[in-house]
């Protein structure tokens, strides 16, 4: 471990790049999330009906139908074959996310992302134990469970509890007590399981991850040779297991982060003071030499290094 | 030996099986909870009337994605999406409360046109064919017409006046020589729009209410036949019952050789009839 590990996360990036640039993608993502939410709110708040509906299903400019493919799939499993409008909408959404990365939905659109990111930030600031860490496959078990329950009950099962639609629909149509689900997710992530909801449980994210298995837009650790082991990327990454194969790969290993778990959130790019990461496409074969293997250093005490 | 076998098992395989068992068991527990919640969400309250063309509740919960496009295209703000813990209907599904804002029965049925999934059935093209619910004169004691007045408001506002609601004359026992005009709903015409419930002049609850069809209607047994509606013989194969003609072995007292009672009633004259 480098001595820099002990510094606050993003410390060197803020020092070297400035506060704004060290949060570039975070700011862009919040703007993107706010943008998609505000599109839906323009109607009810200002009477500008460009976009009607919510993330489950919507109609833009009275021509473009969009449907959540996961919700539609549950409906099909439950025994209802939908009208063509919904199918077209779902195909469009699925195609877009299959192209740009399924979990781009999670980090750039989903309104719960701000909630769980805040929980993760508070978790880091409070230096809480990481708590229950379910296995990586858990979300796929949950995904299967949701489909089985939809089939057995003949109803779209996940919408009974889905905090994403609870929050999004709540903001647009009136929230009732749906906010309790949002608070529950926040508290779960903060006290029970670090990054628990989005990175371990949520079947919506699991579904979109599967959609984007072969997506084009990828983060690459191209300048991995420059890595100074500050570990900040691991600290901010919601799916930190995706970084290792790329960052710690040898010369012949690809520097692309190809795991479908990666949400393309770009936080690793933000917090890296030595610009290891950047966005590229999955066919980018720019040679990326691995890090020169140095002899394991004898551990210094953190106090000495400063 | 079983212990030996266990230790001989490939550790990776063993771990995989353990993980699979844990995952499956965890999902079974969570799944049961989710199933309970889904079943619970089916409990649609009587006051919540689904939009025109809505599939039966079980199919509706398989098809409605809760996008609210029907709500947005409703020109009268009749439809709302159910809020968790506030409205009884399944969270996020559309409904209306007729006493609040009834359905205005638009000719072009924009809510049905807006539905992307077919949870509101596109086969509904004439709003008069909608069966959102059924109006029922549920309080026949407080209804002003039942008290002998000529309120008639529910009858007057009915979009299918004289078809869905008629006024049936009935003798007024209170005065002895007046009539009561009882609002009477006919299920073959009533769309369940709820304009009658909305306009009932009584304060608070209405005397006439739109109820879900499942509550408002009884079900006839399959074998019941209405003689005045059927021209065909009521029974497919006519059973030849014994004809009660005069003759031996019958109880026709007048018949010669018929049943002879043990004693005879005193008669004024002639045979007892």
């Amino acid at each position: 471990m480098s001595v820099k590990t002990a510094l606050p996360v993003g410390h060197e990036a803020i020092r070297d790049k400035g506060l704004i640039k060290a949060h570039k993608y975070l700011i862009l993502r919040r703007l993107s999330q706010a943008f998609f939410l505000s599109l839906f709110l323009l109607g009810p708040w200002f009477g500008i009906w460009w976009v009607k509906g919510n993330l489950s299903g919507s109609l833009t400019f009275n021509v473009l139908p969009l449907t959540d493919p996961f919700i539609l799939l549950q409906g099909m499993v439950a025994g209802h074959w939908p009208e063509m409008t919904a199918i077209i909408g779902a195909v469009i959404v699925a195609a877009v996310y299959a192209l740009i990365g399924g979990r781009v939905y999670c980090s750039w659109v989903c309104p719960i992302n701000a909630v769980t990111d805040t929980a993760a930030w508070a978790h880091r600031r409070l230096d809480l134990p990481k708590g229950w860490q379910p296995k990586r496959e858990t979300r796929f078990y949950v995904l299967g469970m949701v489909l089985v329950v939809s089939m057995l009950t003949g109803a779209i099962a996940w919408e009974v509890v889905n905090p994403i639609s609870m929050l999004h629909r709540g903001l647009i149509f009136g929230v009732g007590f749906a906010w309790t689900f949002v608070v529950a997710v926040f508290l779960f992530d903060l006290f029970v399981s670090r990054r628990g909801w989005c990175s371990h449980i949520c079947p919506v994210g699991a579904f979109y991850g599967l959609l984007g298995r072969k997506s084009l837009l990828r983060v690459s650790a191209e300048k991995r040779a420059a890595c100074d082991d500050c570990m900040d990327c691991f600290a901010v990454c919601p799916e930190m297991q995706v970084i290792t194969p790329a960052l710690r790969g040898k010369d012949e290993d690809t520097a692309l982060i190809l795991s479908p778990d990666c949400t393309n959130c770009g936080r690793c790019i933000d917090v890296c003071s030595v610009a290891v990461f950047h966005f590229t496409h999955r066919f980018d074969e720019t040679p990326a030499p691995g890090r020169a293997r140095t002899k394991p250093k004898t551990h210094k005490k953190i106090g000495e290094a400063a | 030996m079983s212990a030996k076998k266990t230790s001989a098992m490939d550790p990776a395989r063993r771990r995989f099986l353990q993980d699979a068992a844990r995952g499956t068991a965890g999902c079974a527990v969570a799944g049961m909870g989710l199933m309970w919640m889904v079943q619970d969400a089916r409990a649609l309250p009587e006051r919540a009337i689904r939009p025109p063309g809505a599939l039966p509740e079980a199919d509706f919960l398989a098809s409605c994605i809760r996008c609210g496009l029907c709500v947005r295209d409703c020109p009268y703000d009749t439809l709302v999406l159910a809020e968790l813990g506030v409205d009884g209907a399944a969270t996020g599904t559309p409904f209306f409360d007729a006493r609040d804002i009834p359905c205005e029965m638009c000719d072009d049925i924009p809510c049905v046109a807006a539905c992307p999934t077919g949870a509101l059935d596109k086969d509904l093209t004439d709003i008069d064919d909608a069966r959102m619910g059924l109006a029922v004169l549920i309080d026949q004691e407080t209804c002003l017409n039942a008290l002998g007045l000529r309120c008639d408001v529910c009858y007057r506002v009915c979009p299918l006046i004289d078809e869905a609601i008629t006024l049936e004359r009935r003798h007024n026992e209170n005065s002895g020589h007046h009539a009561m005009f009882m609002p009477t709903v006919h299920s073959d015409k009533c769309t369940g729009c709820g304009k009658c419930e909305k306009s009932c002049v009584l304060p608070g609850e209405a005397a006439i209410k739109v109820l879900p069809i499942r509550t408002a209607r009884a079900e006839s047994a399959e074998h019941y036949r209405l003689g005045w509606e059927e021209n065909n013989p009521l029974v497919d194969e006519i059973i030849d019952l014994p004809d009660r003609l005069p003759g031996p072995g019958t109880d026709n007292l007048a018949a010669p050789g018929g049943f002879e009672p043990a004693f005879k009633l005193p008669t004024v004259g002639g045979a007892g009839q």
Side-chain angles (χ1 to χ4, degrees):
Chain A
M1 263 204 255
S2 147
V3 286
K4 291 183 173 182
T5 316
L7 292 172
V9 171
H11 180 269
E12 304 103 297
I14 293 168
R15 188 194 57 207
D16 296 352
K17 302 199 279 190
L19 196 61
I20 302 290
K21 276 198 163 174
H23 294 88
K24 178 178 154 196
Y25 284 108
L26 182 64
I27 293 166
L28 285 176
R29 277 194 306 118
R30 291 288 176 265
L31 287 175
S32 162
Q33 290 157 358
F35 170 73
F36 284 109
L37 184 59
S38 64
L39 281 182
F40 289 98
L41 287 172
L42 277 180
W45 286 6
F46 305 108
I48 304 167
W49 294 104
W50 290 344
V51 181
K52 288 187 285 194
N54 56 40
L55 284 177
S56 308
S58 63
L59 188 64
T60 303
F61 296 121
N62 282 320
V63 286
L64 176 67
L66 295 174
T67 319
D68 185 320
F70 181 50
I71 294 178
L72 209 63
L73 178 67
Q74 291 173 67
M76 289 177 181
V77 171
H80 176 81
W81 188 258
E83 298 262 336
M84 198 42 85
T85 315
I87 297 175
I88 292 171
V91 167
I92 295 172
V93 171
V96 168
Y97 284 119
L99 208 63
I100 62 169
R103 298 207 63 201
V104 163
Y105 173 79
C106 300
S107 56
W108 293 79
V109 180
C110 179
I112 285 288
N113 179 264
V115 176
T116 56
D117 269 1
T118 309
W121 173 82
H123 188 281
R124 202 161 57 229
R125 294 301 295 261
L126 296 174
D127 202 18
L128 294 170
K130 64 182 174 181
W132 179 48
Q133 294 291 290
K135 293 221 180 299
R136 287 289 151 198
E137 313 85 62
T138 305
R139 55 180 144 210
F140 297 107
Y141 278 99
V142 177
L143 176 62
M145 184 265 292
V146 166
L147 293 177
V148 169
V149 172
S150 293
M151 194 171 66
L152 292 178
T153 56
I156 297 174
W158 193 244
E159 287 311 287
V160 176
V161 290
N162 188 359
I164 303 171
S165 33
M166 292 276 178
L167 174 59
H168 195 249
R169 188 174 51 234
L171 290 170
I172 298 165
F173 287 93
V175 73
F177 284 88
W179 59 267
T180 52
F181 281 77
V182 180
V183 171
V185 165
F186 180 82
L187 294 177
F188 177 75
D189 266 25
L190 183 57
F191 294 115
V192 181
S193 173
R194 192 184 76 96
R195 292 278 185 195
W197 189 261
C198 298
S199 301
H200 294 92
I201 307 283
C202 180
V204 182
F207 177 84
Y208 278 99
L210 290 175
L211 261 185
R213 288 188 74 80
K214 299 289 169 200
S215 66
L216 289 181
L217 185 64
R218 293 292 172 178
V219 173
S220 170
E222 199 179 299
K223 305 235 163 53
R224 55 192 170 187
C227 175
D228 60 1
D229 274 343
C230 75
M231 305 298 280
D232 284 359
C233 54
F234 288 98
V236 293
C237 181
E239 303 277 355
M240 56 170 100
Q241 77 281 6
V242 308
I243 297 179
T244 316
L247 184 64
R248 302 293 193 232
K250 300 200 180 72
D251 293 356
E252 63 275 16
D253 298 328
T254 178
L256 293 165
I257 294 176
L258 290 175
S259 166
D261 291 346
C262 173
T263 67
N264 278 347
C265 73
R267 276 299 277 153
C268 53
I269 305 175
D270 280 350
V271 297
C272 185
S273 61
V274 288
V276 168
F277 301 96
H278 70 110
F279 273 120
T280 180
H281 54 85
R282 77 179 296 125
F283 304 110
D284 187 354
E285 285 176 1
T286 319
R291 216 158 33 134
R293 291 277 153 178
T294 48
K295 266 193 277 176
K297 281 179 246 174
T298 45
H299 280 284
K300 282 182 191 171
K301 291 233 174 71
I302 288 156
E304 288 175 49
Chain B
M1 293 240 277
S2 63
K4 213 171 191 181
K5 250 186 195 167
T6 315
S7 59
M9 192 189 228
D10 177 12
R13 182 157 169 257
R14 186 177 164 75
R15 200 177 314 119
F16 170 76
L17 288 175
Q18 279 176 340
D19 288 350
R22 279 182 63 185
T24 311
C27 282
V29 173
M32 279 188 278
L34 187 61
M35 275 180 85
W36 171 73
M37 293 182 84
V38 173
Q39 297 296 353
D40 206 44
R42 288 182 197 283
L44 186 66
E46 304 292 305
R47 302 307 302 267
I49 304 297
R50 292 290 186 204
L55 300 177
E57 189 63 10
D59 300 331
F60 192 75
L61 292 183
S63 51
C64 174
I65 59 171
R66 314 176 186 207
C67 64
L69 288 175
C70 53
V71 172
R72 289 302 179 225
D73 281 10
C74 176
Y76 299 97
D77 292 337
T78 300
L79 296 175
V80 288
L81 291 189
E83 293 179 18
L84 187 72
V86 179
D87 310 301
T91 315
T93 56
F95 76 100
F96 69 97
D97 181 337
R99 188 64 163 161
D100 195 9
I101 309 179
C103 173
E104 295 287 340
M105 288 173 59
C106 313
D107 279 334
D108 51 349
I109 330 181
C111 49
V112 173
C115 180
T117 64
L120 307 181
D121 196 344
K122 294 270 195 301
D123 289 342
L124 179 72
T125 48
D126 182 352
I127 189 65
D128 288 352
D129 294 335
R131 292 293 178 268
M132 294 169 265
L134 180 64
V136 178
L137 183 64
I138 201 163
D139 188 347
Q140 304 201 3
E141 295 173 356
T142 319
C143 169
L144 294 181
N145 274 37
L147 296 175
L149 301 176
R150 289 303 299 273
C151 162
D152 295 0
V153 170
C154 55
Y155 163 77
R156 296 280 168 203
V157 298
C158 179
L160 296 168
I161 184 171
D162 279 326
E163 293 180 75
I165 303 186
T166 55
L167 294 176
E168 302 294 321
R169 259 191 292 180
R170 199 189 284 176
H171 179 57
N172 189 340
E173 300 284 353
N174 294 330
S175 69
H177 58 275
H178 291 99
M180 294 190 311
F181 291 78
M182 294 302 286
T184 306
V185 182
H186 303 277
S187 66
D188 56 334
K189 294 289 182 188
C190 176
T191 63
C193 74
K195 294 205 76 163
C196 51
E197 178 177 343
K198 169 67 181 176
S199 55
C200 178
V201 299
L202 296 177
E205 293 288 326
I208 190 166
K209 286 196 174 81
V210 175
L211 299 177
I213 304 274
R214 64 172 195 276
T215 309
R217 298 274 349 244
E219 195 178 341
S220 288
E222 251 178 59
H223 63 281
Y224 289 3
R225 298 282 193 278
L226 304 178
W228 57 92
E229 284 183 0
E230 304 214 9
N231 297 319
N232 300 325
L234 294 186
V235 183
D236 294 337
E237 286 170 40
I238 292 178
I239 304 162
D240 196 17
L241 294 167
D243 301 319
R244 306 214 165 206
L245 292 175
T250 73
D251 59 356
N252 190 329
L253 300 183
F259 171 73
E260 285 290 327
F263 71 97
K264 287 196 169 125
L265 292 168
T267 52
V268 180
Q273 282 287 328

